[in-house]
Amino acid sequence: MKIVISASEVVPFAKTGGLADVAGALPLALEREGAEVIITLPRYKAIKDSSFQIQRLKEDISYSVIGKNIKVYFIENDKYFNRDGLYGDKNGDYPDNLERFSYYCKRTLTLLKEINFKPEIIHLHDWQASLIPVYLKNIYLLDAFYKRIKTVLTIHNIGYQGLFPKEEFPKLGLDWSLFQIEGLEFYDKINILKGGMEFSDIINTVSETYSKEIQTKEFGFGLEGVLNKRRDSVFGILNGLDYSIWNPESDKFIAKNYSLKTIKDKYKNKENLQRVCKLPVRQDVPLFGIVSRLAEQKGFDILAEAVDTICRMKIQLVILGTGDLKYHLIMEDMVKKYPEVISLSLKFDDALAHKIYAGSDIFLMPSKYEPCGLGQLISLRYGTIPLVFKTGGLADTVNGDNGFIFDRYSKDDLIKTVEKAVAAFKNKKKLDSLINKAMKCNFSWDASAKKYIRLYELAKSR
Ligand code: ADP
């Protein structure tokens, strides 16, 4: 089967979040299943010739190879992509994001014909790639080359929809008739994700629970109606984890490799993390780790209310992440108040993230909603027990045997669950059992890739 993966971030070339992990790992797993895969990605400034083996194909197209033979085509356009950020800078989103990603989508489609790669499926991800089915169904279908191509849209987070003022509509090069309720119109604005949902053959999301949740008012961010209308085409496939990157036995970033058999060595990583984070080096206090965007979605609203109480519990807390300024400030205040308890790194740091997954005892991830979540999958593999709110992918992967889970989203329930985790930390039998169950969980890509192949077959039959 010939497949195109289109995503605005792909590991190892560009990453701001979980989308990149998925878009980097799924193609490799599909290739192992025998599929012929290519990827298209904007060429951002950080994708340098010197860091990756990049070859030139055309004036505006270069490529690299991952896996056995997966070509990753970089779409170049200095005006749009030769910038430090992927989507924005310290002032917020780039004001020309509509033009940037509409260009990316169009160039993806024209490129396929130029390189004569006629896929059965284009698997596109999130709003940045969502104009692909819109252009395909409304413009390119007239060309026989594109006639039989089917599209699968995976939504990684329905909270990000690509909303723009309607005055920008002419920049899309689409007929105004598409600016209507069955098209890209959404409360008098342009909604790019909605366009993708209206025109792709299959809509998929990254866990079964989330695929049901987003069909409700509470989680649908206004798009629940579109999803309800297309409910026969809505599916959920859990993300896998790339265990060649996330493996405590071979992880190059951590102080000491370990496995379930050599679990004692995990504690060398705890010591190392405490040193790196300038916290007192001690084994007898539970160390809670967070690697996350500092956003309400990730539970920072209840965490901000609860953190003072939590810091008084004889624990340590290491936080790595960036996000909303208000949470930066609240956590900075906590560091001033409890310098021996809490360590804060307001940055994106892959190496430190690995150290936190390995060195913490408990991974705190109380997301308000969570399409799939990778943090809990990584922490399970590292024997770092996840503490989560029961939602989306967290509900599908964490339970009382391998983690701590609460089902009423409130500051008090979070605090109670942290207390429960602290108690379990002191109960060796309970802790050993949790670690044992956690590390034996298997969320490899192979199982998920097989499900994707079945979904592509279904798309082909439509
Ligand atoms: P998101 O909603 O942000 O995509 P996920 O849990 O699906 O959340 O994936 C987040 C990914 O990004 C994980 O691999 C996590 O380790 C990584 N990550 C998040 N913040 C940081 C950070 N500040 N530094 C390094 N890695 C980070």
Side-chain angles (χ1 to χ4, degrees), residues 401-444:
D401 287 339
N402 64 7
F404 305 101
I405 185 156
F406 60 105
D407 59 10
R408 215 169 47 102
Y409 189 78
S410 74
K411 158 198 155 200
D412 292 336
D413 287 69
L414 172 61
I415 290 171
K416 269 188 221 141
T417 315
V418 170
E419 280 165 353
K420 216 168 115 185
V422 172
F425 176 80
K426 291 182 192 142
N427 176 343
K428 187 165 171 356
K429 209 169 144 211
K430 171 76 183 162
L431 188 64
D432 286 351
S433 157
L434 283 164
I435 292 175
N436 188 42
K437 292 264 169 41
M439 290 184 82
K440 282 187 175 154
C441 289
N442 186 356
F443 296 103
S444 78

mmCIF file of all heavy atoms in Angstrom, residues 401-444:
data_model
loop_
_atom_site.group_PDB
_atom_site.id
_atom_site.type_symbol
_atom_site.label_atom_id
_atom_site.label_comp_id
_atom_site.label_asym_id
_atom_site.label_seq_id
_atom_site.Cartn_x
_atom_site.Cartn_y
_atom_site.Cartn_z
ATOM 1 N N ASP A 401 -3.790 -0.797 38.676
ATOM 2 C CA ASP A 401 -2.686 -1.765 38.786
ATOM 3 C C ASP A 401 -1.338 -1.182 38.390
ATOM 4 O O ASP A 401 -0.301 -1.597 38.872
ATOM 5 C CB ASP A 401 -2.959 -2.980 37.880
ATOM 6 C CG ASP A 401 -4.052 -3.850 38.459
ATOM 7 O OD1 ASP A 401 -4.301 -3.751 39.679
ATOM 8 O OD2 ASP A 401 -4.664 -4.604 37.671
ATOM 9 N N ASN A 402 -1.373 -0.237 37.433
ATOM 10 C CA ASN A 402 -0.083 0.304 36.965
ATOM 11 C C ASN A 402 0.079 1.788 37.292
ATOM 12 O O ASN A 402 1.050 2.409 36.879
ATOM 13 C CB ASN A 402 0.092 0.073 35.456
ATOM 14 C CG ASN A 402 -0.945 0.816 34.618
ATOM 15 O OD1 ASN A 402 -1.721 1.608 35.148
ATOM 16 N ND2 ASN A 402 -0.954 0.571 33.321
ATOM 17 N N GLY A 403 -0.899 2.373 37.999
ATOM 18 C CA GLY A 403 -0.781 3.799 38.279
ATOM 19 C C GLY A 403 -1.793 4.277 39.299
ATOM 20 O O GLY A 403 -2.479 3.476 39.950
ATOM 21 N N PHE A 404 -1.876 5.575 39.410
ATOM 22 C CA PHE A 404 -2.855 6.216 40.303
ATOM 23 C C PHE A 404 -3.789 7.038 39.428
ATOM 24 O O PHE A 404 -3.329 7.797 38.576
ATOM 25 C CB PHE A 404 -2.150 7.123 41.310
ATOM 26 C CG PHE A 404 -1.082 6.418 42.096
ATOM 27 C CD1 PHE A 404 0.263 6.576 41.752
ATOM 28 C CD2 PHE A 404 -1.408 5.577 43.146
ATOM 29 C CE1 PHE A 404 1.255 5.918 42.459
ATOM 30 C CE2 PHE A 404 -0.415 4.906 43.856
ATOM 31 C CZ PHE A 404 0.914 5.079 43.511
ATOM 32 N N ILE A 405 -5.089 6.867 39.642
ATOM 33 C CA ILE A 405 -6.034 7.503 38.727
ATOM 34 C C ILE A 405 -7.211 8.074 39.519
ATOM 35 O O ILE A 405 -7.694 7.436 40.462
ATOM 36 C CB ILE A 405 -6.448 6.474 37.634
ATOM 37 C CG1 ILE A 405 -7.349 7.076 36.566
ATOM 38 C CG2 ILE A 405 -7.030 5.200 38.187
ATOM 39 C CD1 ILE A 405 -7.284 6.293 35.232
ATOM 40 N N PHE A 406 -7.612 9.302 39.193
ATOM 41 C CA PHE A 406 -8.781 9.876 39.873
ATOM 42 C C PHE A 406 -9.819 10.278 38.833
ATOM 43 O O PHE A 406 -9.487 10.595 37.691
ATOM 44 C CB PHE A 406 -8.405 11.037 40.796
ATOM 45 C CG PHE A 406 -7.736 12.217 40.148
ATOM 46 C CD1 PHE A 406 -8.431 13.407 39.933
ATOM 47 C CD2 PHE A 406 -6.399 12.175 39.772
ATOM 48 C CE1 PHE A 406 -7.813 14.517 39.354
ATOM 49 C CE2 PHE A 406 -5.770 13.272 39.188
ATOM 50 C CZ PHE A 406 -6.474 14.436 38.978
ATOM 51 N N ASP A 407 -11.096 10.233 39.233
ATOM 52 C CA ASP A 407 -12.121 10.409 38.209
ATOM 53 C C ASP A 407 -13.041 11.612 38.432
ATOM 54 O O ASP A 407 -14.053 11.756 37.762
ATOM 55 C CB ASP A 407 -12.935 9.118 38.014
ATOM 56 C CG ASP A 407 -13.622 8.682 39.282
ATOM 57 O OD1 ASP A 407 -13.631 9.474 40.258
ATOM 58 O OD2 ASP A 407 -14.145 7.555 39.309
ATOM 59 N N ARG A 408 -12.673 12.475 39.383
ATOM 60 C CA ARG A 408 -13.399 13.750 39.514
ATOM 61 C C ARG A 408 -12.357 14.851 39.412
ATOM 62 O O ARG A 408 -11.400 14.879 40.204
ATOM 63 C CB ARG A 408 -14.139 13.803 40.857
ATOM 64 C CG ARG A 408 -15.476 14.532 40.783
ATOM 65 C CD ARG A 408 -16.266 14.307 42.064
ATOM 66 N NE ARG A 408 -15.400 14.515 43.232
ATOM 67 C CZ ARG A 408 -15.412 15.621 43.988
ATOM 68 N NH1 ARG A 408 -16.256 16.588 43.746
ATOM 69 N NH2 ARG A 408 -14.598 15.737 45.014
ATOM 70 N N TYR A 409 -12.519 15.707 38.400
ATOM 71 C CA TYR A 409 -11.473 16.683 38.127
ATOM 72 C C TYR A 409 -11.563 17.843 39.113
ATOM 73 O O TYR A 409 -12.338 18.775 38.924
ATOM 74 C CB TYR A 409 -11.596 17.192 36.685
ATOM 75 C CG TYR A 409 -10.431 18.029 36.253
ATOM 76 C CD1 TYR A 409 -9.222 17.442 35.890
ATOM 77 C CD2 TYR A 409 -10.513 19.421 36.217
ATOM 78 C CE1 TYR A 409 -8.138 18.202 35.495
ATOM 79 C CE2 TYR A 409 -9.438 20.200 35.830
ATOM 80 C CZ TYR A 409 -8.252 19.581 35.468
ATOM 81 O OH TYR A 409 -7.174 20.340 35.077
ATOM 82 N N SER A 410 -10.794 17.755 40.185
ATOM 83 C CA SER A 410 -10.806 18.840 41.162
ATOM 84 C C SER A 410 -9.475 18.859 41.899
ATOM 85 O O SER A 410 -8.764 17.850 41.950
ATOM 86 C CB SER A 410 -11.932 18.625 42.181
ATOM 87 O OG SER A 410 -11.571 17.584 43.068
ATOM 88 N N LYS A 411 -9.186 20.015 42.452
ATOM 89 C CA LYS A 411 -7.964 20.192 43.245
ATOM 90 C C LYS A 411 -7.928 19.176 44.388
ATOM 91 O O LYS A 411 -6.902 18.546 44.660
ATOM 92 C CB LYS A 411 -7.973 21.630 43.764
ATOM 93 C CG LYS A 411 -7.155 21.900 44.966
ATOM 94 C CD LYS A 411 -7.620 23.213 45.596
ATOM 95 C CE LYS A 411 -7.275 23.218 47.060
ATOM 96 N NZ LYS A 411 -8.011 24.135 47.882
ATOM 97 N N ASP A 412 -9.071 18.992 45.062
ATOM 98 C CA ASP A 412 -9.098 18.099 46.226
ATOM 99 C C ASP A 412 -8.822 16.650 45.833
ATOM 100 O O ASP A 412 -8.102 15.931 46.534
ATOM 101 C CB ASP A 412 -10.452 18.190 46.944
ATOM 102 C CG ASP A 412 -10.622 19.548 47.603
ATOM 103 O OD1 ASP A 412 -9.587 20.184 47.882
ATOM 104 O OD2 ASP A 412 -11.766 19.984 47.814
ATOM 105 N N ASP A 413 -9.393 16.228 44.730
ATOM 106 C CA ASP A 413 -9.154 14.848 44.291
ATOM 107 C C ASP A 413 -7.704 14.652 43.872
ATOM 108 O O ASP A 413 -7.117 13.585 44.088
ATOM 109 C CB ASP A 413 -10.109 14.467 43.156
ATOM 110 C CG ASP A 413 -11.513 14.262 43.687
ATOM 111 O OD1 ASP A 413 -12.131 15.265 44.104
ATOM 112 O OD2 ASP A 413 -11.969 13.104 43.739
ATOM 113 N N LEU A 414 -7.127 15.693 43.285
ATOM 114 C CA LEU A 414 -5.702 15.614 42.928
ATOM 115 C C LEU A 414 -4.865 15.455 44.196
ATOM 116 O O LEU A 414 -3.995 14.579 44.283
ATOM 117 C CB LEU A 414 -5.296 16.872 42.143
ATOM 118 C CG LEU A 414 -3.800 17.015 41.864
ATOM 119 C CD1 LEU A 414 -3.278 15.845 41.033
ATOM 120 C CD2 LEU A 414 -3.503 18.328 41.128
ATOM 121 N N ILE A 415 -5.145 16.291 45.188
ATOM 122 C CA ILE A 415 -4.370 16.229 46.434
ATOM 123 C C ILE A 415 -4.505 14.848 47.080
ATOM 124 O O ILE A 415 -3.511 14.233 47.493
ATOM 125 C CB ILE A 415 -4.821 17.356 47.408
ATOM 126 C CG1 ILE A 415 -4.379 18.717 46.852
ATOM 127 C CG2 ILE A 415 -4.249 17.136 48.812
ATOM 128 C CD1 ILE A 415 -4.946 19.912 47.587
ATOM 129 N N LYS A 416 -5.752 14.338 47.130
ATOM 130 C CA LYS A 416 -5.974 13.010 47.741
ATOM 131 C C LYS A 416 -5.183 11.928 47.009
ATOM 132 O O LYS A 416 -4.628 11.020 47.625
ATOM 133 C CB LYS A 416 -7.472 12.652 47.668
ATOM 134 C CG LYS A 416 -8.243 13.100 48.891
ATOM 135 C CD LYS A 416 -9.662 12.543 48.852
ATOM 136 C CE LYS A 416 -10.625 13.629 49.322
ATOM 137 N NZ LYS A 416 -11.873 13.675 48.594
ATOM 138 N N THR A 417 -5.127 12.044 45.684
ATOM 139 C CA THR A 417 -4.434 11.014 44.908
ATOM 140 C C THR A 417 -2.920 11.119 45.098
ATOM 141 O O THR A 417 -2.222 10.099 45.145
ATOM 142 C CB THR A 417 -4.834 11.112 43.416
ATOM 143 O OG1 THR A 417 -6.249 11.276 43.351
ATOM 144 C CG2 THR A 417 -4.454 9.862 42.658
ATOM 145 N N VAL A 418 -2.434 12.349 45.244
ATOM 146 C CA VAL A 418 -1.005 12.510 45.541
ATOM 147 C C VAL A 418 -0.707 11.889 46.912
ATOM 148 O O VAL A 418 0.304 11.178 47.088
ATOM 149 C CB VAL A 418 -0.590 14.004 45.496
ATOM 150 C CG1 VAL A 418 0.821 14.199 46.043
ATOM 151 C CG2 VAL A 418 -0.675 14.536 44.064
ATOM 152 N N GLU A 419 -1.603 12.106 47.875
ATOM 153 C CA GLU A 419 -1.416 11.487 49.210
ATOM 154 C C GLU A 419 -1.365 9.965 49.090
ATOM 155 O O GLU A 419 -0.550 9.293 49.725
ATOM 156 C CB GLU A 419 -2.557 11.890 50.152
ATOM 157 C CG GLU A 419 -2.369 13.272 50.751
ATOM 158 C CD GLU A 419 -3.660 13.823 51.388
ATOM 159 O OE1 GLU A 419 -4.729 13.192 51.238
ATOM 160 O OE2 GLU A 419 -3.586 14.900 52.000
ATOM 161 N N LYS A 420 -2.246 9.435 48.251
ATOM 162 C CA LYS A 420 -2.280 7.985 48.038
ATOM 163 C C LYS A 420 -0.952 7.497 47.448
ATOM 164 O O LYS A 420 -0.416 6.452 47.851
ATOM 165 C CB LYS A 420 -3.423 7.670 47.052
ATOM 166 C CG LYS A 420 -4.151 6.398 47.332
ATOM 167 C CD LYS A 420 -5.425 6.334 46.511
ATOM 168 C CE LYS A 420 -5.326 5.201 45.516
ATOM 169 N NZ LYS A 420 -6.463 5.134 44.610
ATOM 170 N N ALA A 421 -0.425 8.268 46.523
ATOM 171 C CA ALA A 421 0.849 7.893 45.896
ATOM 172 C C ALA A 421 1.988 7.940 46.916
ATOM 173 O O ALA A 421 2.862 7.064 46.928
ATOM 174 C CB ALA A 421 1.142 8.821 44.720
ATOM 175 N N VAL A 422 1.954 8.955 47.787
ATOM 176 C CA VAL A 422 2.996 9.070 48.812
ATOM 177 C C VAL A 422 2.926 7.853 49.746
ATOM 178 O O VAL A 422 3.960 7.257 50.093
ATOM 179 C CB VAL A 422 2.834 10.389 49.612
ATOM 180 C CG1 VAL A 422 3.789 10.430 50.807
ATOM 181 C CG2 VAL A 422 3.074 11.600 48.706
ATOM 182 N N ALA A 423 1.706 7.440 50.093
ATOM 183 C CA ALA A 423 1.540 6.267 50.963
ATOM 184 C C ALA A 423 2.049 5.006 50.251
ATOM 185 O O ALA A 423 2.752 4.179 50.853
ATOM 186 C CB ALA A 423 0.068 6.107 51.357
ATOM 187 N N ALA A 424 1.730 4.870 48.988
ATOM 188 C CA ALA A 424 2.167 3.683 48.242
ATOM 189 C C ALA A 424 3.685 3.635 48.143
ATOM 190 O O ALA A 424 4.294 2.557 48.164
ATOM 191 C CB ALA A 424 1.548 3.681 46.844
ATOM 192 N N PHE A 425 4.303 4.814 48.032
ATOM 193 C CA PHE A 425 5.766 4.880 47.940
ATOM 194 C C PHE A 425 6.424 4.256 49.170
ATOM 195 O O PHE A 425 7.500 3.667 49.098
ATOM 196 C CB PHE A 425 6.193 6.350 47.787
ATOM 197 C CG PHE A 425 7.678 6.556 47.772
ATOM 198 C CD1 PHE A 425 8.418 6.330 46.614
ATOM 199 C CD2 PHE A 425 8.348 6.974 48.910
ATOM 200 C CE1 PHE A 425 9.794 6.508 46.595
ATOM 201 C CE2 PHE A 425 9.724 7.167 48.908
ATOM 202 C CZ PHE A 425 10.443 6.925 47.740
ATOM 203 N N LYS A 426 5.727 4.378 50.304
ATOM 204 C CA LYS A 426 6.300 3.840 51.557
ATOM 205 C C LYS A 426 6.003 2.359 51.720
ATOM 206 O O LYS A 426 6.563 1.695 52.604
ATOM 207 C CB LYS A 426 5.716 4.605 52.747
ATOM 208 C CG LYS A 426 6.213 6.038 52.781
ATOM 209 C CD LYS A 426 5.641 6.752 54.005
ATOM 210 C CE LYS A 426 5.878 8.239 53.931
ATOM 211 N NZ LYS A 426 4.739 9.006 54.452
ATOM 212 N N ASN A 427 5.110 1.822 50.912
ATOM 213 C CA ASN A 427 4.700 0.425 51.028
ATOM 214 C C ASN A 427 5.411 -0.375 49.927
ATOM 215 O O ASN A 427 4.984 -0.405 48.773
ATOM 216 C CB ASN A 427 3.169 0.368 50.864
ATOM 217 C CG ASN A 427 2.634 -1.032 50.873
ATOM 218 O OD1 ASN A 427 3.364 -1.998 50.692
ATOM 219 N ND2 ASN A 427 1.344 -1.150 51.073
ATOM 220 N N LYS A 428 6.531 -1.011 50.298
ATOM 221 C CA LYS A 428 7.413 -1.592 49.291
ATOM 222 C C LYS A 428 6.712 -2.613 48.397
ATOM 223 O O LYS A 428 6.909 -2.643 47.175
ATOM 224 C CB LYS A 428 8.628 -2.222 49.974
ATOM 225 C CG LYS A 428 9.643 -2.668 48.945
ATOM 226 C CD LYS A 428 10.982 -2.948 49.546
ATOM 227 C CE LYS A 428 11.961 -3.601 48.574
ATOM 228 N NZ LYS A 428 11.522 -3.962 47.267
ATOM 229 N N LYS A 429 5.850 -3.427 49.048
ATOM 230 C CA LYS A 429 5.169 -4.467 48.273
ATOM 231 C C LYS A 429 4.273 -3.841 47.188
ATOM 232 O O LYS A 429 4.268 -4.251 46.031
ATOM 233 C CB LYS A 429 4.318 -5.318 49.234
ATOM 234 C CG LYS A 429 4.164 -6.728 48.753
ATOM 235 C CD LYS A 429 3.570 -7.614 49.822
ATOM 236 C CE LYS A 429 2.657 -8.608 49.130
ATOM 237 N NZ LYS A 429 1.542 -9.027 49.918
ATOM 238 N N LYS A 430 3.534 -2.841 47.613
ATOM 239 C CA LYS A 430 2.627 -2.153 46.686
ATOM 240 C C LYS A 430 3.429 -1.489 45.561
ATOM 241 O O LYS A 430 3.102 -1.599 44.377
ATOM 242 C CB LYS A 430 1.815 -1.101 47.472
ATOM 243 C CG LYS A 430 0.975 -0.159 46.663
ATOM 244 C CD LYS A 430 -0.289 -0.806 46.146
ATOM 245 C CE LYS A 430 -1.084 0.141 45.261
ATOM 246 N NZ LYS A 430 -2.046 -0.494 44.420
ATOM 247 N N LEU A 431 4.519 -0.819 45.951
ATOM 248 C CA LEU A 431 5.336 -0.107 44.969
ATOM 249 C C LEU A 431 5.945 -1.082 43.961
ATOM 250 O O LEU A 431 5.911 -0.856 42.744
ATOM 251 C CB LEU A 431 6.432 0.688 45.687
ATOM 252 C CG LEU A 431 7.246 1.632 44.808
ATOM 253 C CD1 LEU A 431 6.359 2.737 44.234
ATOM 254 C CD2 LEU A 431 8.382 2.271 45.606
ATOM 255 N N ASP A 432 6.478 -2.195 44.469
ATOM 256 C CA ASP A 432 7.077 -3.197 43.571
ATOM 257 C C ASP A 432 6.047 -3.719 42.579
ATOM 258 O O ASP A 432 6.340 -3.914 41.395
ATOM 259 C CB ASP A 432 7.638 -4.381 44.376
ATOM 260 C CG ASP A 432 8.933 -3.990 45.078
ATOM 261 O OD1 ASP A 432 9.446 -2.893 44.778
ATOM 262 O OD2 ASP A 432 9.405 -4.764 45.937
ATOM 263 N N SER A 433 4.840 -3.949 43.085
ATOM 264 C CA SER A 433 3.796 -4.472 42.211
ATOM 265 C C SER A 433 3.449 -3.454 41.121
ATOM 266 O O SER A 433 3.299 -3.793 39.939
ATOM 267 C CB SER A 433 2.568 -4.835 43.058
ATOM 268 O OG SER A 433 1.425 -4.842 42.269
ATOM 269 N N LEU A 434 3.340 -2.181 41.513
ATOM 270 C CA LEU A 434 3.036 -1.136 40.523
ATOM 271 C C LEU A 434 4.143 -1.054 39.460
ATOM 272 O O LEU A 434 3.869 -1.008 38.258
ATOM 273 C CB LEU A 434 2.914 0.224 41.226
ATOM 274 C CG LEU A 434 1.620 0.498 41.998
ATOM 275 C CD1 LEU A 434 1.789 1.676 42.951
ATOM 276 C CD2 LEU A 434 0.467 0.784 41.034
ATOM 277 N N ILE A 435 5.385 -1.070 39.935
ATOM 278 C CA ILE A 435 6.513 -0.948 38.992
ATOM 279 C C ILE A 435 6.536 -2.143 38.033
ATOM 280 O O ILE A 435 6.722 -2.003 36.822
ATOM 281 C CB ILE A 435 7.857 -0.829 39.762
ATOM 282 C CG1 ILE A 435 7.908 0.521 40.496
ATOM 283 C CG2 ILE A 435 9.049 -0.970 38.824
ATOM 284 C CD1 ILE A 435 9.125 0.720 41.391
ATOM 285 N N ASN A 436 6.291 -3.309 38.604
ATOM 286 C CA ASN A 436 6.280 -4.537 37.806
ATOM 287 C C ASN A 436 5.225 -4.467 36.699
ATOM 288 O O ASN A 436 5.493 -4.708 35.524
ATOM 289 C CB ASN A 436 6.000 -5.704 38.778
ATOM 290 C CG ASN A 436 6.156 -7.030 38.092
ATOM 291 O OD1 ASN A 436 7.095 -7.226 37.325
ATOM 292 N ND2 ASN A 436 5.225 -7.933 38.337
ATOM 293 N N LYS A 437 4.021 -4.070 37.084
ATOM 294 C CA LYS A 437 2.921 -3.986 36.106
ATOM 295 C C LYS A 437 3.200 -2.887 35.078
ATOM 296 O O LYS A 437 2.950 -3.051 33.884
ATOM 297 C CB LYS A 437 1.598 -3.671 36.820
ATOM 298 C CG LYS A 437 1.098 -4.784 37.711
ATOM 299 C CD LYS A 437 0.080 -5.627 36.967
ATOM 300 C CE LYS A 437 -0.291 -6.917 37.665
ATOM 301 N NZ LYS A 437 -0.465 -6.887 39.110
ATOM 302 N N ALA A 438 3.712 -1.756 35.578
ATOM 303 C CA ALA A 438 3.960 -0.623 34.675
ATOM 304 C C ALA A 438 4.973 -1.003 33.596
ATOM 305 O O ALA A 438 4.738 -0.823 32.405
ATOM 306 C CB ALA A 438 4.469 0.580 35.475
ATOM 307 N N MET A 439 6.081 -1.582 34.039
ATOM 308 C CA MET A 439 7.168 -1.842 33.080
ATOM 309 C C MET A 439 6.832 -2.964 32.106
ATOM 310 O O MET A 439 7.460 -3.086 31.052
ATOM 311 C CB MET A 439 8.475 -2.127 33.824
ATOM 312 C CG MET A 439 9.000 -0.873 34.504
ATOM 313 S SD MET A 439 10.582 -1.076 35.313
ATOM 314 C CE MET A 439 11.734 -0.900 33.946
ATOM 315 N N LYS A 440 5.842 -3.764 32.457
ATOM 316 C CA LYS A 440 5.450 -4.844 31.540
ATOM 317 C C LYS A 440 4.418 -4.389 30.499
ATOM 318 O O LYS A 440 4.090 -5.148 29.587
ATOM 319 C CB LYS A 440 4.913 -6.023 32.337
ATOM 320 C CG LYS A 440 6.053 -6.826 32.965
ATOM 321 C CD LYS A 440 5.562 -8.079 33.612
ATOM 322 C CE LYS A 440 6.731 -8.906 34.122
ATOM 323 N NZ LYS A 440 6.337 -9.750 35.240
ATOM 324 N N CYS A 441 3.898 -3.183 30.661
ATOM 325 C CA CYS A 441 2.939 -2.698 29.655
ATOM 326 C C CYS A 441 3.630 -2.570 28.302
ATOM 327 O O CYS A 441 4.796 -2.188 28.232
ATOM 328 C CB CYS A 441 2.410 -1.312 30.038
ATOM 329 S SG CYS A 441 1.313 -1.341 31.430
ATOM 330 N N ASN A 442 2.881 -2.869 27.270
ATOM 331 C CA ASN A 442 3.480 -2.766 25.942
ATOM 332 C C ASN A 442 2.580 -1.943 25.029
ATOM 333 O O ASN A 442 1.501 -2.381 24.650
ATOM 334 C CB ASN A 442 3.692 -4.172 25.370
ATOM 335 C CG ASN A 442 4.445 -4.129 24.066
ATOM 336 O OD1 ASN A 442 4.736 -3.046 23.551
ATOM 337 N ND2 ASN A 442 4.766 -5.277 23.515
ATOM 338 N N PHE A 443 3.044 -0.743 24.700
ATOM 339 C CA PHE A 443 2.289 0.099 23.762
ATOM 340 C C PHE A 443 3.145 0.343 22.523
ATOM 341 O O PHE A 443 3.391 1.473 22.130
ATOM 342 C CB PHE A 443 1.911 1.423 24.443
ATOM 343 C CG PHE A 443 0.986 1.232 25.613
ATOM 344 C CD1 PHE A 443 1.466 1.296 26.921
ATOM 345 C CD2 PHE A 443 -0.360 0.948 25.415
ATOM 346 C CE1 PHE A 443 0.624 1.111 28.007
ATOM 347 C CE2 PHE A 443 -1.216 0.752 26.494
ATOM 348 C CZ PHE A 443 -0.720 0.829 27.791
ATOM 349 N N SER A 444 3.629 -0.739 21.934
ATOM 350 C CA SER A 444 4.517 -0.585 20.783
ATOM 351 C C SER A 444 3.701 -0.154 19.567
ATOM 352 O O SER A 444 2.486 -0.351 19.493
ATOM 353 C CB SER A 444 5.212 -1.902 20.479
ATOM 354 O OG SER A 444 4.320 -2.747 19.806
#
